[in-house]
Amino acid sequence: MALLVLMGKRFGMSTNLETMCSIGGAGKLVDHFKTDVKSKRWSLLVMLGVVFGGFLGAKVLSHNQEVAISENTVTKLKALGFESAGNAYLPTELFATENLSSPLGWVILLIAGFLVGFGARYAGGCTSGHAISGLSNLQWPSLIAVVGFFAGGLLMIHVLFPIIFGL
Amino acid sequence: MKNLAFILIGTFFGIVLYKSEAASWFRIYEMFQFDAIHMYGIIGTAVGLGILFVQWVKKNKIKSFQKEEITISPKKKTFVANAIGGVLFGLGWALAGACPGPMYALVGAGFVTILVVVLGALLGAFVYGLLKSKLPH
């Protein structure tokens, strides 16, 4: 973030979602997407870098992909049917490639993504734009958004998870 | 040259996201269960250093690499949008276990299914654009 500020930019990740919509031709349908893609190009380059960084982090710099989450968390997840807790980077119950053959797998991932995309743009930023950049710049709107992020997250984990995965 | 710098900054961020496990669904779940300090440490450190850095830039009127004045445009004050959008984002963040940054990193890490989440996120951003004029802000 510091380097981007020094380059005269404002760090954030979710604007790229809109830019990709614009590139896809969404500007023909709604004015909101009529933006100058060129002025957002730097951000897409950062995003490409993040993809590459993820590749390096996973394939070059890591030997085992297990995430050593706390015992408590493992117990809670196993109770919800997440047997991969503690043995993987992402839960295979949701992210195994075979899940793409089940409609339910698609529905959960699509809804999750939709909420992230819609919510981030509605709120005007995501974890990087609001929580990290916005709070660093002591922005009130960002604090409200971050409180919202946590409220939503707690609601999902504590109220909706037992309903979605408990069945 | 500048383009390369942007890609390198992204690459560094991607490695940090993956290696710090901030891109792991499990870490997000653990955070919302308050079972470990892991994610709070990462976000707290980022924000703490960020605040110091931004204040330093503002106080000393630090110039950018292009020798221009640095102005960080403030976030728009739209209470309703920040709050409702924030809660919706939080719901998705906890379910997907990833926010936009880590999503891109996970694509690179080779998780095919995360592409469905990215597709959902694109749809979400698109639908927001469609409905923007009708939503309270």
Short mmCIF file of all heavy atoms in Angstrom, two decimals, chain A residues 6 12 16 20 43 52 60 67 69 75 85 89 91 114 167:
data_model
loop_
_atom_site.label_atom_id
_atom_site.label_comp_id
_atom_site.label_asym_id
_atom_site.label_seq_id
_atom_site.Cartn_x
_atom_site.Cartn_y
_atom_site.Cartn_z
N LEU A 6 2.96 6.11 -2.67
CA LEU A 6 4.11 6.86 -3.17
C LEU A 6 4.08 7.00 -4.69
O LEU A 6 4.67 7.90 -5.27
CB LEU A 6 5.43 6.20 -2.73
CG LEU A 6 5.80 6.38 -1.26
CD1 LEU A 6 7.08 5.64 -0.94
CD2 LEU A 6 5.94 7.85 -0.91
N GLY A 12 -6.37 -0.63 -3.46
CA GLY A 12 -7.66 -1.30 -3.33
C GLY A 12 -7.76 -2.41 -4.35
O GLY A 12 -7.08 -2.41 -5.36
N ASN A 16 -11.26 -3.47 -9.34
CA ASN A 16 -10.97 -4.29 -10.51
C ASN A 16 -12.18 -5.06 -11.00
O ASN A 16 -12.32 -5.34 -12.19
CB ASN A 16 -9.86 -5.30 -10.17
CG ASN A 16 -8.53 -4.61 -9.99
OD1 ASN A 16 -8.18 -3.72 -10.75
ND2 ASN A 16 -7.81 -4.99 -8.95
N MET A 20 -13.36 -4.90 -14.81
CA MET A 20 -13.52 -6.07 -15.68
C MET A 20 -14.91 -6.08 -16.30
O MET A 20 -15.09 -6.49 -17.44
CB MET A 20 -13.24 -7.35 -14.90
CG MET A 20 -11.75 -7.56 -14.68
SD MET A 20 -11.36 -9.17 -13.97
CE MET A 20 -11.49 -8.82 -12.24
N SER A 43 -4.28 -0.71 -11.79
CA SER A 43 -4.87 -1.57 -10.77
C SER A 43 -5.01 -3.01 -11.27
O SER A 43 -4.83 -3.97 -10.53
CB SER A 43 -6.22 -1.00 -10.37
OG SER A 43 -6.70 -1.64 -9.23
N PHE A 52 -0.09 -13.82 -9.79
CA PHE A 52 1.24 -14.42 -9.93
C PHE A 52 1.86 -14.67 -8.55
O PHE A 52 2.46 -15.73 -8.31
CB PHE A 52 2.13 -13.50 -10.77
CG PHE A 52 3.49 -14.07 -11.05
CD1 PHE A 52 3.62 -15.30 -11.68
CD2 PHE A 52 4.64 -13.39 -10.67
CE1 PHE A 52 4.88 -15.84 -11.93
CE2 PHE A 52 5.90 -13.92 -10.92
CZ PHE A 52 6.02 -15.15 -11.55
N VAL A 60 5.87 -22.38 -5.35
CA VAL A 60 7.32 -22.29 -5.25
C VAL A 60 7.77 -22.19 -3.79
O VAL A 60 8.73 -22.83 -3.38
CB VAL A 60 7.84 -21.07 -6.05
CG1 VAL A 60 9.36 -21.00 -5.97
CG2 VAL A 60 7.39 -21.16 -7.50
N VAL A 67 -3.04 -25.50 6.99
CA VAL A 67 -3.12 -24.30 7.79
C VAL A 67 -3.39 -24.72 9.23
O VAL A 67 -4.39 -25.37 9.52
CB VAL A 67 -4.26 -23.38 7.28
CG1 VAL A 67 -4.43 -22.19 8.18
CG2 VAL A 67 -3.95 -22.93 5.86
N ILE A 69 -4.76 -24.11 12.06
CA ILE A 69 -5.73 -23.33 12.83
C ILE A 69 -5.85 -23.92 14.23
O ILE A 69 -5.40 -25.04 14.49
CB ILE A 69 -7.12 -23.32 12.14
CG1 ILE A 69 -7.49 -24.72 11.66
CG2 ILE A 69 -7.15 -22.32 11.01
CD1 ILE A 69 -8.86 -24.80 11.06
N THR A 75 -12.35 -28.31 16.03
CA THR A 75 -13.48 -29.03 16.64
C THR A 75 -14.82 -28.49 16.12
O THR A 75 -15.71 -29.26 15.75
CB THR A 75 -13.43 -28.86 18.18
OG1 THR A 75 -12.07 -29.02 18.60
CG2 THR A 75 -14.31 -29.88 18.86
N ALA A 85 -10.69 -29.68 8.03
CA ALA A 85 -10.17 -28.63 8.91
C ALA A 85 -8.80 -29.02 9.47
O ALA A 85 -8.64 -30.09 10.04
CB ALA A 85 -11.15 -28.36 10.05
N TYR A 89 -5.54 -26.02 2.78
CA TYR A 89 -5.49 -24.56 2.73
C TYR A 89 -6.90 -24.01 2.62
O TYR A 89 -7.26 -23.04 3.25
CB TYR A 89 -4.64 -24.09 1.54
CG TYR A 89 -4.19 -22.63 1.68
CD1 TYR A 89 -3.03 -22.31 2.38
CD2 TYR A 89 -4.94 -21.60 1.13
CE1 TYR A 89 -2.63 -20.99 2.53
CE2 TYR A 89 -4.53 -20.27 1.26
CZ TYR A 89 -3.38 -19.98 1.97
OH TYR A 89 -2.99 -18.66 2.12
N PRO A 91 -11.11 -25.53 2.54
CA PRO A 91 -11.87 -26.75 2.83
C PRO A 91 -12.25 -27.48 1.55
O PRO A 91 -12.86 -26.88 0.67
CB PRO A 91 -13.11 -26.22 3.55
CG PRO A 91 -13.21 -24.79 3.17
CD PRO A 91 -11.82 -24.31 2.92
N PHE A 114 -21.07 -13.40 -5.17
CA PHE A 114 -22.00 -12.32 -5.48
C PHE A 114 -22.07 -11.32 -4.33
O PHE A 114 -21.99 -10.10 -4.54
CB PHE A 114 -23.39 -12.90 -5.77
CG PHE A 114 -24.38 -11.86 -6.24
CD1 PHE A 114 -24.52 -11.59 -7.59
CD2 PHE A 114 -25.15 -11.16 -5.33
CE1 PHE A 114 -25.42 -10.63 -8.03
CE2 PHE A 114 -26.05 -10.19 -5.76
CZ PHE A 114 -26.19 -9.93 -7.12
N LEU A 167 -27.44 -29.01 8.19
CA LEU A 167 -28.53 -29.90 7.77
C LEU A 167 -28.03 -31.28 7.38
O LEU A 167 -26.96 -31.42 6.86
CB LEU A 167 -29.28 -29.26 6.59
CG LEU A 167 -29.89 -27.89 6.90
CD1 LEU A 167 -30.51 -27.28 5.66
CD2 LEU A 167 -30.95 -28.02 7.99
#
